[in-house]
Amino acid sequence: MKFLVCISNVPDTTTKITFTPDNKEFNKAGVQFVINPWDEYALTRAIELKEANPGSTVTVLNVGEADTEPNIRKALAIGADDAIRVNAAPKDAFFVAEQIAAVAKDGGYDVMLMGKESIDYNGFQVHGMVGELLGIPTIAPAMKLDMSGNTATLEREIEGGKEIVQVTTPFVVSCQQPMCEPRIPNMRGIMTARTKPLKVVPPTADAPRTQVQAYALPPKKQGVKLIDAENAGELIKLLRNEAKVI
Amino acid sequence: MSVLVVVECDKGEVKKSSLEVATYGAQLAAQLGTTATAIAVGEATEANLAQLGEQGIAKVLYDKEPRLKDFVNNAYTKLIATAAQQEDAKVIVLANSNIGAAVGSRLSVRLQASLATNVVELPHTEGGQFVVKRGAFSGKAFSDVVLSGERKIIAVKKNSLEAKHEAGQTATVADFSAQLTDADFADAPKQVVMQDQAGGVLLPEAALVVSGGRGMKGPENWNLIEDLAKALGAATACSKPVSDVDWRPHHEHVGQTGITVSPNLYIACGISGAIQHLAGVNSSKVIVVINKDPEAPFFKAADYGIVGDVFEVLPKLTAAVKALN
Ligand SMILES: Cc1cc2nc3c(=O)[nH]c(=O)nc-3n(C[C@H](O)[C@H](O)[C@H](O)COP(=O)(O)OP(=O)(O)OC[C@H]3O[C@@H](n4cnc5c(N)ncnc54)[C@H](O)[C@@H]3O)c2cc1C
């Protein structure tokens, strides 16, 4: 079984978000970048399935410039076998999906795993676009993925419940909790990751379909209005008469 | 040229988020000088679909193929794409739901459309540009995005605008067939399992949410959360550690790695307000925090707060809500 795991490089979850003075770009200065938390579910599940199916391989794919390599190495340290980096700044979801599809087209991957969305642009788009570009099913968002031969059984979250879906390879799956417990690299993994192959390929030339014009921070909160615990019922009156939400 | 609105139905009812999307679509159509047509997916009744007139929809297309009752990505994509072509839709509006996002991304490739998800406002269309405002960085920022394609797809974030209800207006419901074949249903679900929702309110759709964290001490105390939720007609939610130790089911877990909610009111009980939790709730209109620690970070994100013990405060709140009604 050949697994392809797509990872994105995102600001650490605790980052304070700021923008360049013209508000056109995210201000990367001093920011620590991590593997997108949703992608960690995809990566760990792929490695678990590889371990359960001897002879399988896990390839990690990232669309990004050279500064993403520490996180690609981290994915290799967690247990992926090799990696591909498409050397381009990710412009928008469609651009990224096109790069992934171009790599996957001749790669013979059975299962392509990725996270539900990236925690920076919150697109929730790339997996569906890749599935459509390749003409294969996408199951999104999935909470469970089991494989038996080339048949997969998945649980897909729907509002208020779940669907049990069965598909045969190849397919794309976007992963979310509680698919697995994401792994962290151990010492041996970190040592071997250094020598694992990381191939850099050029992007295909297509243009993005969306452009960010400006970023903005949400308006500052007014500050909390405290109500005495003894007199808690007062809060309900405020919610009705002042905030008008109940 | 028209606006096509994708309306999700469940057990014959149009979902609340789809009423919002219908309102958005009708307002956008008026802005563009055209009309809004809807395509219904899921289990619908004609009477309920006709009521979409109250949101400003002129016509609803409905394909009676029974296998469309449950979500099937390929079939839904083909259905909506066919409707978009028939109606010459330049803009397609859907909910930023699990269905909307899954279909929207496939549709954008099939129709060569620019796609924006998580959209919170009507677009700005002055000067021939088409710019939408969307949430980014897990609710910590917004971005204005130019959709440059000839066709555009917009997924509207839940609770971003109030659904309009103009009594007496009805929409025409028209039979529609996308001529779906067995192959279009190859990824159909084998089984659909619905979860019990406390109080019957779906968390992702809810306008009011009562949520509990580790400060609730154990699952045996959740009746305090449920009582308040029931009195308010709210959905219940929880923080990640609570679902990790199985006090509550995973589908109630909100936050960066759980569900993102944007209700009108979010009441956090015994939750510290870690940044990953805030990421899933900070676009709520009003946030109430009950925590015995006055230094809990959640108070910084809150509109109203009570420094106190949840075990004492929650019964008082429930009693006060009951007294109101
Ligand atoms: C990558 C990553 C992703 C994450 N994703 C999420 C996520 O999606 N959602 C999420 O929630 N967390 C997430 N977390 C975890 C998050 O960092 C916090 O650990 C978590 O939100 C804390 O949950 P809590 O507030 O319920 O518990 P605690 O941090 O233990 O806080 C409990 C609070 O209850 C208060 N309290 C205790 N007893 C009482 C009482 N009797 N009355 C009133 N107050 C009381 C305490 O003062 C305290 O503030 C994530 C973490 C990481 C690293």
Coordinates of all heavy atoms in Angstrom, one line a residue, chain A residues 96-172:
Chain A
V96 N -2.5 25.0 -4.3 CA -1.9 23.9 -3.6 C -2.5 22.6 -4.1 O -1.8 21.6 -4.3 CB -2.2 24.1 -2.1 CG1 -1.8 22.9 -1.3 CG2 -1.5 25.3 -1.5
A97 N -3.8 22.6 -4.3 CA -4.5 21.3 -4.8 C -3.9 20.9 -6.1 O -3.6 19.7 -6.3 CB -6.0 21.5 -4.9
E98 N -3.7 21.9 -7.0 CA -3.1 21.5 -8.3 C -1.7 20.9 -8.2 O -1.3 20.0 -8.9 CB -3.0 22.8 -9.1 CG -4.2 23.1 -9.9 CD -4.0 24.1 -11.0 OE1 -3.2 25.1 -10.7 OE2 -4.4 23.9 -12.1
Q99 N -0.9 21.5 -7.3 CA 0.5 20.9 -7.1 C 0.4 19.5 -6.6 O 1.2 18.6 -7.0 CB 1.3 21.8 -6.1 CG 1.3 23.3 -6.4 CD 1.6 23.6 -7.8 OE1 2.5 23.0 -8.5 NE2 0.9 24.6 -8.4
I100 N -0.5 19.3 -5.6 CA -0.6 17.9 -5.0 C -1.1 17.0 -6.1 O -0.6 15.9 -6.2 CB -1.6 18.0 -3.8 CG1 -1.0 18.8 -2.7 CG2 -1.9 16.6 -3.3 CD1 -2.0 19.1 -1.5
A101 N -2.1 17.4 -6.8 CA -2.6 16.5 -7.9 C -1.6 16.2 -8.9 O -1.5 15.0 -9.4 CB -3.9 17.1 -8.5
A102 N -0.8 17.2 -9.2 CA 0.3 17.0 -10.3 C 1.3 15.9 -9.8 O 1.7 15.0 -10.5 CB 1.0 18.3 -10.6
V103 N 1.7 16.0 -8.5 CA 2.6 15.0 -7.9 C 1.9 13.6 -7.9 O 2.5 12.6 -8.2 CB 3.0 15.4 -6.5 CG1 3.8 14.3 -5.8 CG2 3.9 16.7 -6.6
A104 N 0.6 13.6 -7.5 CA 0.0 12.3 -7.2 C -0.4 11.6 -8.5 O -0.5 10.4 -8.5 CB -1.3 12.6 -6.4
K105 N -0.5 12.4 -9.6 CA -1.1 11.8 -10.9 C -0.3 10.5 -11.3 O -0.9 9.5 -11.6 CB -1.0 12.9 -12.0 CG -2.1 12.7 -13.0 CD -2.3 14.0 -13.8 CE -1.3 14.3 -14.7 NZ -0.6 14.1 -15.7
D106 N 1.0 10.6 -11.3 CA 1.7 9.4 -11.7 C 2.4 8.7 -10.6 O 3.3 7.8 -10.8 CB 2.8 9.9 -12.7 CG 2.2 10.7 -13.9 OD1 1.1 10.2 -14.4 OD2 2.7 11.7 -14.2
G107 N 2.0 9.0 -9.4 CA 2.7 8.4 -8.2 C 2.2 7.1 -7.8 O 2.8 6.3 -7.0
G108 N 1.0 6.7 -8.3 CA 0.4 5.4 -7.9 C 0.1 5.3 -6.4 O 0.1 4.2 -5.9
Y109 N -0.3 6.4 -5.8 CA -0.7 6.3 -4.4 C -2.1 5.7 -4.2 O -3.0 6.0 -5.0 CB -0.6 7.7 -3.7 CG 0.7 8.3 -3.8 CD1 1.0 9.3 -4.8 CD2 1.8 7.8 -3.0 CE1 2.3 9.8 -4.9 CE2 3.0 8.3 -3.1 CZ 3.3 9.3 -4.1 OH 4.6 9.8 -4.2
D110 N -2.2 4.8 -3.2 CA -3.5 4.2 -2.9 C -4.4 5.1 -2.1 O -5.6 5.2 -2.3 CB -3.3 2.8 -2.2 CG -2.4 1.9 -3.1 OD1 -3.0 1.4 -4.1 OD2 -1.3 1.6 -2.7
V111 N -3.8 5.6 -1.0 CA -4.5 6.5 -0.1 C -3.8 7.8 0.1 O -2.6 7.8 0.4 CB -4.7 5.8 1.3 CG1 -5.7 6.6 2.1 CG2 -5.3 4.4 1.1
M112 N -4.5 8.9 -0.1 CA -3.9 10.2 0.1 C -4.6 10.8 1.3 O -5.8 11.0 1.3 CB -4.2 11.1 -1.1 CG -3.6 10.5 -2.4 SD -3.9 11.5 -3.8 CE -3.2 13.1 -3.2
L113 N -3.8 11.1 2.3 CA -4.4 11.6 3.6 C -4.0 13.0 3.8 O -2.8 13.4 3.5 CB -3.9 10.7 4.8 CG -4.1 9.2 4.7 CD1 -2.9 8.5 4.2 CD2 -4.5 8.7 6.1
M114 N -4.9 13.8 4.3 CA -4.5 15.1 4.7 C -5.4 15.6 5.9 O -6.4 14.8 6.3 CB -4.6 16.1 3.6 CG -5.8 16.1 2.7 SD -5.7 17.1 1.3 CE -5.2 15.9 0.0
G115 N -5.1 16.7 6.5 CA -6.0 17.2 7.6 C -7.2 17.8 7.0 O -7.4 18.1 5.9
K116 N -8.2 18.0 8.0 CA -9.4 18.6 7.6 C -9.3 20.0 7.0 O -9.9 20.4 6.0 CB -10.3 18.6 8.8 CG -11.5 19.5 8.8 CD -12.2 19.4 10.1 CE -13.0 20.6 10.4 NZ -14.1 20.4 11.4
E117 N -8.5 20.8 7.6 CA -8.2 22.1 7.1 C -6.9 22.6 7.8 O -6.4 22.0 8.7 CB -9.3 23.1 7.4 CG -9.5 23.4 8.9 CD -10.6 24.4 9.2 OE1 -11.4 24.8 8.3 OE2 -10.7 24.9 10.3
S118 N -6.3 23.7 7.3 CA -5.2 24.2 7.9 C -5.6 25.3 8.9 O -6.6 26.0 8.7 CB -4.2 24.9 6.9 OG -4.7 26.0 6.4
I119 N -4.9 25.4 10.0 CA -5.4 26.3 11.1 C -5.1 27.8 10.8 O -5.4 28.6 11.6 CB -4.9 25.9 12.5 CG1 -3.3 26.0 12.5 CG2 -5.3 24.5 12.9 CD1 -2.8 26.1 14.0
D120 N -4.4 28.0 9.6 CA -4.2 29.5 9.3 C -5.2 30.0 8.4 O -5.9 30.9 8.7 CB -2.7 29.7 8.8 CG -2.3 28.7 7.7 OD1 -3.2 27.8 7.3 OD2 -1.2 28.7 7.2
Y121 N -5.4 29.3 7.2 CA -6.4 29.9 6.3 C -7.7 29.2 6.4 O -8.7 29.7 5.8 CB -5.8 29.8 4.8 CG -4.6 30.7 4.8 CD1 -3.3 30.1 4.7 CD2 -4.6 32.0 4.9 CE1 -2.2 30.9 4.7 CE2 -3.5 32.8 5.0 CZ -2.3 32.2 4.9 OH -1.2 33.0 4.9
N122 N -7.8 28.2 7.2 CA -9.1 27.5 7.5 C -9.9 27.3 6.2 O -11.1 27.6 6.2 CB -10.0 28.4 8.4 CG -9.2 28.6 9.7 OD1 -8.8 29.7 10.0 ND2 -9.0 27.6 10.5
G123 N -9.3 26.8 5.2 CA -10.0 26.6 3.9 C -11.0 25.5 3.9 O -12.1 25.6 3.4
F124 N -10.6 24.3 4.4 CA -11.4 23.1 4.3 C -11.8 22.8 2.8 O -12.9 22.6 2.4 CB -12.7 23.4 5.1 CG -13.5 22.1 5.5 CD1 -14.5 22.2 6.4 CD2 -13.2 20.9 4.9 CE1 -15.3 21.1 6.8 CE2 -14.0 19.8 5.2 CZ -15.0 19.9 6.2
Q125 N -10.8 23.0 1.9 CA -11.0 22.9 0.5 C -10.1 21.9 -0.2 O -10.5 21.3 -1.2 CB -10.8 24.3 -0.2 CG -11.6 25.4 0.4 CD -11.2 26.7 -0.2 OE1 -10.5 26.8 -1.2 NE2 -11.8 27.8 0.3
V126 N -8.8 21.8 0.2 CA -7.8 21.2 -0.7 C -8.2 19.7 -1.0 O -8.1 19.3 -2.1 CB -6.4 21.3 0.0 CG1 -5.4 20.5 -0.8 CG2 -6.0 22.8 0.0
H127 N -8.6 19.0 0.0 CA -8.9 17.6 -0.2 C -10.0 17.4 -1.3 O -9.9 16.5 -2.1 CB -9.3 16.9 1.1 CG -10.1 17.8 2.0 ND1 -11.5 18.0 1.8 CD2 -9.8 18.5 3.1 CE1 -11.9 18.9 2.7 NE2 -10.9 19.2 3.5
G128 N -11.0 18.2 -1.2 CA -12.1 18.0 -2.3 C -11.6 18.4 -3.6 O -11.9 17.7 -4.6
M129 N -10.8 19.4 -3.7 CA -10.2 19.8 -5.0 C -9.3 18.7 -5.6 O -9.3 18.4 -6.8 CB -9.4 21.1 -4.8 CG -10.3 22.3 -4.5 SD -9.3 23.8 -4.2 CE -10.5 25.0 -4.1
V130 N -8.4 18.2 -4.7 CA -7.5 17.1 -5.2 C -8.3 15.9 -5.7 O -8.1 15.4 -6.7 CB -6.5 16.7 -4.0 CG1 -5.7 15.4 -4.5 CG2 -5.6 17.8 -3.7
G131 N -9.3 15.5 -4.9 CA -10.2 14.4 -5.3 C -10.8 14.6 -6.7 O -10.8 13.8 -7.6
E132 N -11.3 15.8 -6.9 CA -12.0 16.2 -8.1 C -10.9 16.2 -9.3 O -11.2 15.8 -10.4 CB -12.7 17.5 -8.0 CG -13.5 17.9 -9.2 CD -14.8 17.1 -9.4 OE1 -15.2 16.4 -8.5 OE2 -15.3 17.1 -10.5
L133 N -9.8 16.8 -9.0 CA -8.8 16.9 -10.0 C -8.3 15.5 -10.5 O -8.0 15.3 -11.7 CB -7.5 17.7 -9.5 CG -7.7 19.2 -9.4 CD1 -6.6 19.9 -8.6 CD2 -7.8 19.9 -10.8
L134 N -8.3 14.6 -9.6 CA -7.8 13.2 -9.9 C -9.0 12.3 -10.3 O -8.8 11.2 -10.7 CB -7.0 12.6 -8.7 CG -5.7 13.3 -8.3 CD1 -5.2 12.7 -7.0 CD2 -4.7 13.3 -9.4
G135 N -10.2 12.8 -10.1 CA -11.4 12.0 -10.4 C -11.5 10.8 -9.5 O -12.0 9.7 -9.9
I136 N -11.2 11.0 -8.2 CA -11.4 9.9 -7.2 C -12.2 10.4 -6.0 O -12.3 11.7 -5.8 CB -10.0 9.3 -6.7 CG1 -9.1 10.4 -6.1 CG2 -9.3 8.7 -7.9 CD1 -7.8 9.9 -5.5
P137 N -12.8 9.6 -5.2 CA -13.6 10.0 -4.1 C -12.8 10.7 -3.0 O -11.6 10.4 -2.8 CB -14.2 8.8 -3.5 CG -13.9 7.7 -4.4 CD -12.8 8.1 -5.3
T138 N -13.4 11.7 -2.3 CA -12.8 12.3 -1.1 C -13.8 12.0 0.0 O -15.0 12.3 -0.2 CB -12.7 13.8 -1.3 OG1 -11.8 14.1 -2.4 CG2 -12.1 14.4 0.0
I139 N -13.3 11.6 1.1 CA -14.1 11.4 2.3 C -13.7 12.5 3.3 O -12.5 12.4 3.8 CB -14.1 10.0 2.9 CG1 -14.8 9.0 1.9 CG2 -14.9 9.9 4.2 CD1 -14.0 8.6 0.8
A140 N -14.6 13.5 3.6 CA -14.2 14.6 4.4 C -15.4 15.1 5.2 O -16.4 15.2 4.7 CB -13.7 15.7 3.5
P141 N -15.2 15.3 6.5 CA -14.0 15.0 7.3 C -14.2 13.6 8.0 O -15.3 13.3 8.3 CB -14.0 16.1 8.4 CG -15.5 16.4 8.6 CD -16.1 16.1 7.3
A142 N -13.1 12.8 8.0 CA -13.2 11.5 8.5 C -12.7 11.3 10.0 O -11.7 11.9 10.3 CB -12.5 10.5 7.6
M143 N -13.4 10.6 10.7 CA -13.0 10.4 12.1 C -12.4 9.0 12.4 O -11.9 8.6 13.4 CB -14.2 10.5 13.1 CG -15.0 11.8 12.9 SD -16.4 12.0 14.0 CE -17.5 10.8 13.2
K144 N -12.5 8.1 11.3 CA -12.0 6.8 11.5 C -11.7 6.3 10.1 O -12.4 6.6 9.1 CB -13.1 5.9 12.0 CG -12.7 4.6 12.7 CD -13.8 4.0 13.5 CE -13.2 2.7 14.0 NZ -14.2 1.9 14.6
L145 N -10.6 5.5 10.0 CA -10.1 5.0 8.7 C -9.6 3.6 9.0 O -8.5 3.5 9.6 CB -9.1 5.9 8.0 CG -8.3 5.2 6.9 CD1 -9.2 4.8 5.7 CD2 -7.2 6.2 6.4
D146 N -10.2 2.5 8.5 CA -9.7 1.2 8.6 C -9.5 0.6 7.2 O -10.4 0.9 6.3 CB -10.6 0.3 9.4 CG -10.6 0.7 10.9 OD1 -9.5 1.0 11.4 OD2 -11.7 0.7 11.5
M147 N -8.5 -0.2 7.0 CA -8.2 -0.7 5.6 C -8.3 -2.3 5.7 O -7.7 -2.8 6.7 CB -6.8 -0.3 5.1 CG -6.6 1.1 5.0 SD -7.4 1.9 3.6 CE -6.9 0.9 2.2
S148 N -8.9 -2.9 4.7 CA -8.8 -4.3 4.6 C -8.5 -4.6 3.1 O -9.4 -4.4 2.3 CB -10.1 -4.9 5.1 OG -10.1 -6.3 4.7
G149 N -7.3 -5.0 2.8 CA -6.9 -5.0 1.4 C -7.1 -3.7 0.8 O -6.6 -2.7 1.4
N150 N -7.7 -3.6 -0.4 CA -7.8 -2.2 -1.0 C -9.2 -1.6 -0.7 O -9.6 -0.7 -1.4 CB -7.4 -2.2 -2.4 CG -8.4 -3.0 -3.3 OD1 -9.3 -3.7 -2.7 ND2 -8.3 -2.8 -4.6
T151 N -9.9 -2.1 0.3 CA -11.2 -1.6 0.7 C -11.0 -0.8 2.0 O -10.4 -1.4 3.0 CB -12.2 -2.7 0.8 OG1 -12.3 -3.3 -0.4 CG2 -13.6 -2.1 1.2
A152 N -11.5 0.4 2.0 CA -11.4 1.2 3.3 C -12.8 1.4 3.8 O -13.8 1.6 3.1 CB -10.8 2.5 3.0
T153 N -12.9 1.3 5.2 CA -14.2 1.7 5.8 C -13.9 2.9 6.7 O -12.9 3.0 7.4 CB -14.6 0.5 6.8 OG1 -14.7 -0.7 6.0 CG2 -16.0 0.8 7.4
L154 N -14.7 3.9 6.4 CA -14.5 5.2 7.1 C -15.7 5.7 7.8 O -16.8 5.4 7.4 CB -14.1 6.3 6.1 CG -12.9 6.0 5.2 CD1 -13.3 5.7 3.8 CD2 -12.0 7.2 5.2
E155 N -15.5 6.5 8.8 CA -16.6 7.2 9.5 C -16.4 8.7 9.1 O -15.4 9.3 9.4 CB -16.5 7.0 11.0 CG -17.1 5.7 11.5 CD -17.1 5.6 13.0 OE1 -17.0 6.6 13.7 OE2 -17.2 4.4 13.4
R156 N -17.5 9.2 8.5 CA -17.4 10.6 8.1 C -18.4 11.4 9.0 O -19.5 11.0 9.2 CB -17.9 10.7 6.7 CG -18.1 12.0 6.2 CD -18.5 12.1 4.7 NE -18.6 13.5 4.4 CZ -19.7 14.2 4.7 NH1 -20.8 13.6 5.2 NH2 -19.7 15.5 4.5
E157 N -17.9 12.5 9.5 CA -18.7 13.3 10.4 C -19.8 14.1 9.6 O -19.5 14.7 8.6 CB -17.9 14.3 11.2 CG -18.8 15.1 12.2 CD -18.0 15.9 13.2 OE1 -17.7 17.0 12.8 OE2 -17.8 15.4 14.3
I158 N -21.0 14.0 10.0 CA -22.1 14.8 9.5 C -22.7 15.6 10.7 O -22.5 15.2 11.8 CB -23.2 14.1 8.7 CG1 -23.8 12.9 9.6 CG2 -22.6 13.5 7.4 CD1 -24.9 12.2 8.9
E159 N -23.3 16.7 10.4 CA -23.9 17.4 11.5 C -24.9 16.6 12.2 O -25.9 16.1 11.6 CB -24.6 18.7 11.0 CG -23.6 19.9 10.8 CD -22.9 19.9 9.5 OE1 -23.2 19.0 8.7 OE2 -22.1 20.9 9.2
G160 N -24.7 16.3 13.5 CA -25.6 15.5 14.2 C -25.4 14.0 14.2 O -26.2 13.2 14.7
G161 N -24.3 13.5 13.5 CA -24.1 12.1 13.4 C -22.9 11.7 12.6 O -22.0 12.5 12.4
K162 N -22.9 10.5 12.1 CA -21.8 10.1 11.2 C -22.4 9.2 10.1 O -23.4 8.5 10.3 CB -20.8 9.4 12.0 CG -21.2 8.2 12.8 CD -20.2 7.6 13.7 CE -20.8 6.4 14.5 NZ -19.9 6.0 15.6
E163 N -21.6 9.1 9.0 CA -21.9 8.2 8.0 C -20.8 7.1 7.9 O -19.6 7.5 8.1 CB -21.8 8.9 6.6 CG -23.0 9.8 6.2 CD -22.8 10.3 4.8 OE1 -21.8 10.1 4.2 OE2 -23.7 11.0 4.4
I164 N -21.2 5.9 7.7 CA -20.2 4.8 7.5 C -20.1 4.7 6.0 O -21.1 4.4 5.3 CB -20.6 3.5 8.2 CG1 -21.2 3.7 9.5 CG2 -19.4 2.5 8.1 CD1 -20.3 4.0 10.6
V165 N -18.8 4.9 5.5 CA -18.6 4.9 4.1 C -17.6 3.8 3.7 O -16.6 3.7 4.4 CB -18.1 6.3 3.6 CG1 -18.0 6.3 2.1 CG2 -19.0 7.4 4.1
Q166 N -17.8 3.1 2.6 CA -16.8 2.2 2.1 C -16.4 2.6 0.8 O -17.2 2.8 -0.1 CB -17.4 0.8 2.1 CG -16.7 -0.2 3.0 CD -17.5 -1.5 3.2 OE1 -18.2 -1.9 2.3 NE2 -17.4 -2.0 4.4
V167 N -15.1 2.7 0.5 CA -14.6 3.0 -0.8 C -13.4 2.1 -1.1 O -12.8 1.5 -0.1 CB -14.1 4.4 -0.9 CG1 -15.3 5.4 -1.0 CG2 -13.1 4.8 0.2
T168 N -13.1 1.9 -2.4 CA -11.9 1.2 -2.7 C -10.8 2.2 -3.2 O -11.1 3.3 -3.6 CB -12.1 0.2 -3.8 OG1 -12.8 0.8 -4.9 CG2 -13.0 -1.0 -3.3
T169 N -9.6 1.8 -3.0 CA -8.5 2.7 -3.4 C -8.5 2.9 -5.0 O -9.0 2.1 -5.7 CB -7.1 2.1 -3.1 OG1 -7.0 0.8 -3.7 CG2 -7.0 1.9 -1.6
P170 N -8.0 4.1 -5.4 CA -7.5 5.2 -4.7 C -8.5 6.2 -4.2 O -9.6 6.3 -4.8 CB -6.6 5.8 -5.7 CG -7.3 5.6 -7.0 CD -7.9 4.3 -6.9
F171 N -8.3 6.8 -3.1 CA -9.2 7.9 -2.6 C -8.4 8.9 -1.8 O -7.3 8.6 -1.4 CB -10.3 7.2 -1.8 CG -9.9 6.5 -0.5 CD1 -9.8 7.2 0.7 CD2 -9.5 5.2 -0.6 CE1 -9.4 6.5 1.8 CE2 -9.1 4.5 0.6 CZ -9.1 5.2 1.8
V172 N -9.1 10.0 -1.5 CA -8.5 11.0 -0.6 C -9.3 11.0 0.7 O -10.5 10.9 0.6 CB -8.6 12.4 -1.3 CG1 -8.1 13.5 -0.4 CG2 -7.9 12.4 -2.7

